[in-house]
Amino acid sequence: MSGAAYAIGDLARQTGTKVETIRWYERDGIMPAPARTEGGHRLYTRTHLERLAFIRHARELGFPLDSVRALLALADDPERPCAEVDAIASEHLSAVRDRITRLHALEAELVRMLDRCGRGQVAECRVIEVLADRTHGHCLSQDHSGSRL
Amino acid sequence: MSGAAYAIGDLARQTGTKVETIRWYERDGIMPAPARTEGGHRLYTRTHLERLAFIRHARELGFPLDSVRALLALADDPERPCAEVDAIASEHLSAVRDRITRLHALEAELVRMLDRCGRGQVAECRVIEVLADRTHGHCLSQDHSGSRL
DNA sequence: ATGGGACCTATAGTGGCTATAGGTTCAAGC
DNA sequence: GCTTGAACCTATAGCCACTATAGGTCCCAT
């Protein structure tokens, strides 16, 4: 059908993806295995290129690969209601906002520490003091989802 | 010298750390190996407890373990200038602010996508459209540090 | 025909833990 | 002293999404 075929390096250049990442996507299963040359080099089609572009774009927006998988499945089935897409994106937005909130708290805490850091020695350093202070307790909530603040 | 000795579970309870994490810290080297009972159970001292509390507190503030190691080394040497501590904390603060900035950009992009999502079908879904749009390019900067936005 | 860049596989490493399996030890209660 | 069961032990694999390396093979332009 379509004439153009792409080597893995072409896909990499066109989508700003590392070659290793593309191969990893294939092993992972999110990218379908392409045809091969006699010598074993991968030969991609435009369809592959578009799928990879979609994946990379979603990843740039911070969607985890599982969400990308779900979004791809929805994109491949245009009659499904948009609400499912909306749900995935909304959930991700919440996660992003959560992280922003936590990072703001962190930032404030760091600023507070640093503000009080004199120019002296470690012995009277507020930063070390704060870190060593066990009475300070766990004011920042524990993160149970892989500690990515 | 000091009488009190703690089991690993005591340390865990007192610092809000999982037992497995404490053992991992020991293998990692950031926590020194404690004495053992005849049967092989770990016996910690107050020094261990304080060190673990320091580590956990720094981790709560998002310092990577390598920075925690550096901070511990400084804390153990009270004559060193406070500026070194300041530098580590300031660098971390910059990193946190960077992440906040990137997450804000992300949030805006997600909101923009979602705002335009109608109640229809995937076929005309803006979210899918945006993700599939290769002309959209790489407006969000690539993250080379482990993709933790 | 040859050179070298692009490609191949397989494996290990990143960070910071978490989880599981399968066994041993300790301390409290009887 | 004996039993129970919670807490402890080691070793290993898994998480996420790649990245890096080693050691080889292929393709194409000259």
Side-chain angles (χ1 to χ4, degrees):
Chain A
M1 294 284 183
S2 64
Y6 307 87
I8 196 169
D10 298 330
L11 248 74
R13 266 183 297 283
Q14 294 215 39
T15 60
T17 313
K18 296 207 174 152
V19 165
E20 293 82 6
T21 304
I22 299 176
R23 286 197 281 250
W24 182 81
Y25 282 163
E26 183 181 328
R27 269 215 311 292
D28 180 75
I30 198 169
M31 278 291 286
R36 300 278 187 139
T37 65
E38 282 183 28
H41 287 204
R42 288 168 178 82
L43 279 181
Y44 292 98
T45 64
R46 183 167 305 275
T47 306
H48 287 104
L49 177 58
E50 278 158 13
R51 191 175 174 97
L52 180 56
F54 187 105
I55 294 167
R56 293 309 289 177
H57 202 165
R59 289 290 301 128
E60 275 174 42
L61 288 169
F63 286 96
L65 271 187
D66 276 350
S67 299
V68 181
R69 255 181 280 271
L71 289 169
L72 278 166
L74 288 166
D76 284 347
D77 189 355
E79 313 214 343
R80 295 266 282 282
C82 190
E84 295 180 54
V85 174
D86 192 290
I88 293 169
S90 298
E91 199 181 340
H92 180 50
L93 177 56
S94 297
V96 167
R97 284 180 168 154
D98 258 24
R99 281 204 265 158
I100 289 173
T101 303
R102 268 181 275 147
L103 283 171
H104 271 313
L106 226 79
E107 187 199 7
E109 183 90 3
L110 286 168
V111 167
R112 216 179 322 144
M113 269 186 8
L114 280 164
D115 269 358
R116 303 193 301 161
C117 178
R119 301 282 147 250
Q121 290 178 326
V122 168
E124 67 238 21
C125 178
R126 291 284 159 189
V127 175
I128 294 293
E129 243 175 66
V130 170
L131 289 173
D133 182 8
R134 292 204 299 113
T135 70
H136 186 76
H138 313 289
C139 63
L140 297 166
S141 65
Q142 287 269 67
D143 179 14
H144 300 290
S145 66
S147 90
R148 44 187 53 209
L149 308 161
Chain B
M1 292 284 187
S2 65
Y6 308 86
I8 196 167
D10 298 330
L11 249 74
R13 265 182 299 282
Q14 295 215 38
T15 60
T17 313
K18 297 207 170 151
V19 166
E20 293 83 6
T21 304
I22 300 175
R23 287 198 281 251
W24 182 80
Y25 282 163
E26 183 181 330
R27 269 215 312 292
D28 179 76
I30 198 167
M31 279 292 286
R36 300 277 187 140
T37 65
E38 281 182 30
H41 287 204
R42 289 168 177 82
L43 279 180
Y44 292 99
T45 64
R46 183 167 305 275
T47 306
H48 288 105
L49 179 58
E50 279 159 13
R51 190 175 175 96
L52 180 57
F54 187 105
I55 294 168
R56 293 307 290 177
H57 201 165
R59 290 289 303 128
E60 275 174 41
L61 288 170
F63 285 96
L65 272 186
D66 276 350
S67 298
V68 181
R69 255 182 280 273
L71 288 169
L72 278 165
L74 288 165
D76 284 348
D77 188 354
E79 313 216 343
R80 295 265 281 281
C82 190
E84 296 180 54
V85 175
D86 193 289
I88 293 169
S90 298
E91 198 180 344
H92 180 50
L93 178 56
S94 297
V96 168
R97 284 180 168 155
D98 257 25
R99 280 205 265 159
I100 290 174
T101 303
R102 267 181 277 146
L103 284 170
H104 271 313
L106 227 80
E107 187 198 9
E109 183 91 3
L110 287 168
V111 167
R112 216 178 323 145
M113 270 185 8
L114 280 164
D115 269 358
R116 302 194 300 162
C117 180
R119 300 282 148 251
Q121 290 178 327
V122 167
E124 66 239 21
C125 178
R126 291 284 160 189
V127 174
I128 295 293
E129 245 174 64
V130 169
L131 289 174
D133 183 7
R134 293 206 297 113
T135 70
H136 185 77
H138 313 290
C139 63
L140 297 166
S141 65
Q142 287 269 65
D143 179 13
H144 301 289
S145 67
S147 89
R148 43 187 54 208
L149 308 161

